[in-house]
Amino acid sequence: MTFFDRLNHGVATSAVGKYFRLDGSGARRERAGSKFTTEIRAGLTTFVAMAYIISVNSLIVTDSGGTCVCTSETDPVCLNDPAYNECLAVLKLDMVTATAAIACFSTLLMGLFANLPIGLAPGMGLNAYFAYTVVGFHGSNTISYETAVAAVFIEGILFILLSLFGVRQWLARLIPQSIKIATGAGIGLYLCFIGLQSSAGIGLIGKNNDTLVGLAGCAEKDKDGICLSGTTMESATTWIGLFGFIIIAVCLLFRVKGAVLIGIVVVSVMSWFRNTSFTYFPNTPIGDAKFDFFKKVVTFHPIQTTMAKMDFNLNNSEIWIALITFLYVDIMDTTGTLYSMAKFGGYMYKNGDFDGSTAAFLCDATSITVGAVFGVPPVTAFVESGAGITEGGRTGITSITTAFFFFISLFFAPIFASFPPWATGPALMVVGSMMVKSVRSINWDYVGDAIPAFLTIALMPLSYSIAYGLIAGIGSYAAINGIVYILEVVSGGRIAPEDKDLREPWITEGFSWGNILPGWMQKLYCKARGEIYVDPLDVIEEEERLEREAAMAAEHTDAKIDIDHHHGGHEIPKY
């Protein structure tokens, strides 16, 4: 037994191992295959895959202008105002600290209280909506940054109430099984699409005036970000990103532990050398500024301009539209991510629920509220958590490890903010390919299940939104199957699809209306009736265990019959 085997065994049999339900801990519903050292490695992998959010979110929120005030009469957005640009520089550093801090806090919550390997941070897409649609570039819209942050704070409070009383869980568990499975595949394509772009990937795909997107990897772009003629596939960063993709793929093929992390680190270190065609620090003013920040290695910048800057003067009708938008997009986004990660990680139960779902939703909602105090857009579960799950992460120890590295990044921001997008992009592409394999479980034999599932998958990358993909899938499912149901009822069953027997039930096996209530409400209900509360997930796990044992016993019986037949039978002599 090696040192790591002894360490894994020691932690698994300790109180820590039992709390986090490590494999071999003897705890209820222990996570099969989970090991302490694997969880640590998975947490680091998730962090590295998510680390880009530190720099990307700070750049996006800085574009909103934050609390900076533009007073120029000739330049309405203060592009060339020295004082305003100086304020923006401070705001950007504030956002680096705030993003790392809220990612640390929210991911730690998820690990400690929900025991899930899910990382949280300000959501991509939501932050762009916050900065460019709600507040506007450099505050050019009628809603101020302070009012927008107040709307995010209120959204978080509403989320806490919805999660506490089980409303979010109701919505999640009523989603048809085909849509839930398709969500994982859609997120896989969405991740791949992110990894193929230049903002958070290798830049292989870019803008195209004729087809919206097209092959890029270009060495030169025009002012609109479109490749100049004849320059596609000439970008060194694209090729170094593809090199990282091959490294990860080959390492996975040979089952090398930490394959995703190895690929990210190798490409990052290569990109830190200056005077190369793929350096992250080119000899430009922006590159010099990045390199100067990188050389600091250890530094901490306290938040100066965004802490608790909320204005609850919500007399603008547009802010209520923004609040409602934040609300429904975040519900769909978080729901889709959490359930697809549960399915991907193998801890989804047959009733469509997963262990720690109520706590997970509460952690997410609390993080949104606290994030608003820090001045960041809505916090959400990150699909990049799939990178850690791919490395074997199954418990909250993965999230705690990720949170620890986000805490370290508060002091080592120059290092962690310098992972180039073409280093993390290959990881997103590989993880996406692994998540897409869930399409095998979709019921493609019945059109009423297949079309909504397909729309869910297609719309997520094409609309650049998990939420819109879910809305398309659920909406089409309700429309198609609703019409079929009405026709069947009105005609007394005479008008019905010929293959209706192939459709999967809308309510999954093991589902009951009583079980959709959060656990604390079920306990109170049982106590009021003088009944003993039994956790539904314990019942389901026991049923699944008995089914596995019965299947193994049947296989053993069949094998024994084959052996007896082989040795007990009489062969016909041959002459």
Side-chain angles (χ1 to χ4, degrees), residues 138-216:
H138 288 187
S140 55
N141 286 354
T142 56
I143 300 172
S144 69
Y145 168 83
E146 292 87 347
T147 305
V149 171
V152 174
F153 182 85
I154 295 172
E155 179 215 354
I157 297 296
L158 291 174
F159 263 179
I160 291 174
L161 295 175
L162 293 176
S163 302
L164 196 59
F165 290 99
V167 177
R168 291 179 76 179
Q169 293 87 313
W170 291 351
L171 295 173
R173 297 178 198 177
L174 291 177
I175 296 174
Q177 188 68 10
S178 60
I179 303 297
K180 286 181 181 177
I181 297 172
T183 298
I187 289 177
L189 290 179
Y190 177 61
L191 273 180
C192 182
F193 192 44
I194 293 173
L196 288 170
Q197 296 177 67
S198 58
S199 58
I202 65 176
L204 186 63
I205 298 297
K207 291 182 181 179
N208 187 293
N209 282 330
D210 299 322
T211 58
L212 296 181
V213 294
L215 186 67

Side-chain angles (χ1 to χ4, degrees), residues 141-348:
N141 286 354
T142 56
I143 300 172
S144 69
Y145 168 83
E146 292 87 347
T147 305
V149 171
V152 174
F153 182 85
I154 295 172
E155 179 215 354
I157 297 296
L158 291 174
F159 263 179
I160 291 174
L161 295 175
L162 293 176
S163 302
L164 196 59
F165 290 99
V167 177
R168 291 179 76 179
Q169 293 87 313
W170 291 351
L171 295 173
R173 297 178 198 177
L174 291 177
I175 296 174
Q177 188 68 10
S178 60
I179 303 297
K180 286 181 181 177
I181 297 172
T183 298
I187 289 177
L189 290 179
Y190 177 61
L191 273 180
C192 182
F193 192 44
I194 293 173
L196 288 170
Q197 296 177 67
S198 58
S199 58
I202 65 176
L204 186 63
I205 298 297
K207 291 182 181 179
N208 187 293
N209 282 330
D210 299 322
T211 58
L212 296 181
V213 294
L215 186 67
C218 43
E220 297 181 46
K221 299 179 181 179
D222 62 18
K223 59 183 179 63
D224 295 321
I226 298 174
C227 292
L228 296 178
S229 179
T231 63
T232 55
M233 296 306 296
E234 292 185 2
S235 171
T237 57
T238 296
W239 286 106
I240 198 71
L242 290 172
F243 173 68
F245 176 78
I246 297 299
I247 290 177
I248 296 173
V250 172
C251 288
L252 285 173
L253 192 63
F254 286 97
R255 301 186 183 277
V256 177
K257 293 182 178 180
V260 175
L261 184 61
I262 290 171
I264 293 173
V265 171
V266 167
V267 175
S268 295
V269 172
M270 292 174 65
S271 302
W272 287 342
F273 291 96
R274 303 199 77 176
N275 301 317
T276 64
S277 57
F278 50 80
T279 181
Y280 190 55
F281 310 114
N283 294 312
T284 62
I286 295 177
D288 292 338
K290 285 182 179 179
F291 191 63
D292 289 339
F293 185 59
F294 174 73
K295 288 190 296 183
K296 291 181 180 179
V297 182
V298 180
T299 186
F300 176 76
H301 174 82
I303 299 175
Q304 298 176 14
T305 64
T306 63
M307 180 66 77
K309 299 290 185 180
M310 290 177 282
D311 180 5
F312 290 94
N313 182 19
L314 307 178
N315 56 4
N316 189 328
S317 60
E318 291 184 20
I319 193 62
W320 290 103
I321 296 173
L323 175 58
I324 294 170
T325 303
F326 282 141
L327 198 63
Y328 86 80
V329 170
D330 219 347
I331 283 178
M332 294 298 183
D333 209 340
T334 304
T335 298
T337 302
L338 287 177
Y339 276 81
S340 63
M341 290 298 119
K343 181 76 174 176
F344 186 51
Y347 47 88
M348 175 80 80

Side-chain angles (χ1 to χ4, degrees), residues 477-546:
Y477 184 94
I480 295 170
N481 293 287
I483 292 172
V484 170
Y485 175 76
I486 292 171
L487 289 174
E488 196 169 349
V489 170
V490 170
S491 66
R494 290 185 294 273
I495 301 177
E498 294 181 0
D499 56 354
K500 70 175 184 178
D501 293 337
L502 297 176
R503 65 186 175 193
E504 64 182 10
W506 167 46
I507 302 297
T508 56
E509 182 184 356
F511 179 93
S512 71
W513 290 102
N515 291 346
I516 63 176
L517 296 173
W520 68 272
M521 292 182 71
Q522 293 184 44
K523 290 176 184 177
L524 286 178
Y525 178 76
C526 290
K527 187 176 182 180
R529 293 172 57 91
E531 300 174 353
I532 298 174
Y533 172 73
V534 179
D535 193 331
L537 294 185
D538 285 337
V539 176
I540 293 169
E541 185 188 39
E542 181 64 17
E543 290 175 353
E544 292 180 349
R545 185 184 66 80
L546 292 175

Side-chain angles (χ1 to χ4, degrees), residues 46-65:
T46 298
F47 167 76
V48 174
M50 287 179 62
Y52 74 90
I53 195 63
I54 296 176
S55 57
V56 173
N57 187 63
S58 61
L59 285 170
I60 291 174
V61 178
T62 300
D63 278 349
S64 74

